[in-house]
Amino acid sequence: MRLRGVSRSFGGHRVLAPLDLDLRAGSTVALVGASGCGKSTLLRLVAGLDTPSAGTVEVAGQPVRGVHPRTAVVFQEPRLLPWRDLAGNVAFGLPRGTARAAGREEVLRWLEVVGLEDFAGHRPRRVSGGMAQRTALARALVRRPGVLLLDEPFAALDALTRLRMQDLLDEVQRGTGATVVFVTHDVDEALHLADRVLVLGKDGNDDEAGARVVRDLVVDAPRPRDRADAATARLRVELLDLLGVPRTA
């Protein structure tokens, strides 16, 4: 994935300064920063859900114009169709032209991967928030995306479910080799999952300057990771300091 001179303005307000980024295929990249700094805007540009004011976004060497067929998106809310059961919601993500039998097999496979094979016939109102979000993840993965984009996908979940979903995402990414870009406010989540953490922010007090990448942090630790690893603990202090949460005495 490549971004060249990508910026976004709304009216006279610049949200993103011109950005140049290269994201390696098969890597996991976290976008962190203060609320309103443009993380979700950047993700939408990569997804093809929005258009840059300037610059170009490329996936696999092709310019992104609209939703790219190799891309799937998971939002903060599951956004399931209430009149469809879980299998039907996952099937909604199948690529066009998928044969019925093959599609059914793929849907059941991904429901099994996310641990919901026994709930395929349940409607969304009958399952928990964590199960609904796992369904949304399966709906994205059934597309077999080359690029998986997630906008704070676990923010609304309880702490224990969130940790389990993080481990599931990590396992799935390592199994499929997809390029993953996700927005999060959780520093620990970023360090547990990402190969790179991009910190978005602004220089100085110029509100019209637009956000840029103020720190590109490489997390040089093998995955799956131990949450108690001392190396990531040191990076946590650095990230929190960049985000305006310095270590107390």
Side-chain angles (χ1 to χ4, degrees), residues 148-180:
L148 180 62
L149 307 171
L150 307 101
D151 192 356
E152 294 191 74
F154 312 139
L157 304 180
D158 65 85
L160 185 57
T161 302
R162 182 172 189 147
L163 294 177
R164 289 171 174 164
M165 288 291 289
Q166 290 169 5
D167 290 340
L168 173 62
L169 175 61
D170 186 48
E171 180 181 351
V172 167
Q173 188 281 328
R174 287 184 287 111
T176 63
T179 304
V180 173

Side-chain angles (χ1 to χ4, degrees), residues 2-246:
R2 185 168 70 171
L3 287 74
R4 288 293 179 268
V6 171
S7 66
R8 186 66 173 102
S9 299
F10 296 94
H13 177 61
R14 173 172 279 183
V15 176
L16 291 175
L19 296 174
D20 292 318
L21 286 174
D22 290 280
L23 306 184
R24 179 176 54 83
S27 63
T28 299
V29 178
L31 304 176
V32 304
S35 295
C37 72
K39 302 182 299 297
S40 294
T41 297
L42 178 56
L43 198 77
R44 288 176 61 83
L45 294 174
V46 173
L49 297 172
D50 194 9
T51 304
S53 301
T56 58
V57 180
E58 294 181 359
V59 172
Q62 298 297 319
V64 173
R65 297 187 179 95
V67 179
H68 195 280
R70 295 196 62 198
T71 298
V73 185
V74 179
F75 299 98
Q76 184 173 342
E77 303 84 19
R79 301 189 182 182
L80 303 182
L81 302 175
W83 58 88
R84 288 191 176 210
D85 59 21
L86 299 192
N89 272 281
V90 174
F92 195 72
L94 286 166
R96 289 183 180 181
T98 303
R100 183 184 295 271
R104 179 67 178 174
E105 185 177 335
E106 278 292 285
V107 166
L108 293 178
R109 172 177 178 266
W110 284 108
L111 281 172
E112 182 178 1
V113 168
V114 300
L116 294 174
E117 64 272 23
D118 294 333
F119 298 87
H122 284 52
R123 297 288 177 87
R125 67 176 180 273
R126 294 184 58 198
V127 300
S128 68
M131 294 166 74
Q133 194 66 332
R134 277 186 276 163
T135 305
L137 181 59
R139 179 179 58 194
L141 293 169
V142 80
R143 294 174 59 84
R144 294 185 176 273
V147 178
L148 180 62
L149 307 171
L150 307 101
D151 192 356
E152 294 191 74
F154 312 139
L157 304 180
D158 65 85
L160 185 57
T161 302
R162 182 172 189 147
L163 294 177
R164 289 171 174 164
M165 288 291 289
Q166 290 169 5
D167 290 340
L168 173 62
L169 175 61
D170 186 48
E171 180 181 351
V172 167
Q173 188 281 328
R174 287 184 287 111
T176 63
T179 304
V180 173
V181 182
F182 68 100
V183 170
T184 183
H185 282 98
D186 186 332
V187 166
D188 293 319
E189 181 170 271
L191 293 173
H192 185 63
L193 295 175
D195 303 306
R196 289 170 67 189
V197 181
L198 304 181
V199 182
L200 269 61
K202 296 182 179 181
D203 285 328
N205 298 316
D206 186 359
D207 291 334
E208 299 303 316
R212 65 178 187 86
V213 177
V214 297
R215 185 74 165 89
D216 184 345
L217 189 67
V218 175
V219 186
D220 188 15
R223 293 163 43 210
R225 292 180 182 142
D226 182 351
R227 288 185 168 86
D229 185 85
T232 54
R234 289 191 294 272
L235 292 175
R236 183 178 187 273
V237 172
E238 181 179 349
L239 268 178
L240 288 173
D241 187 59
L242 284 166
L243 295 170
V245 187

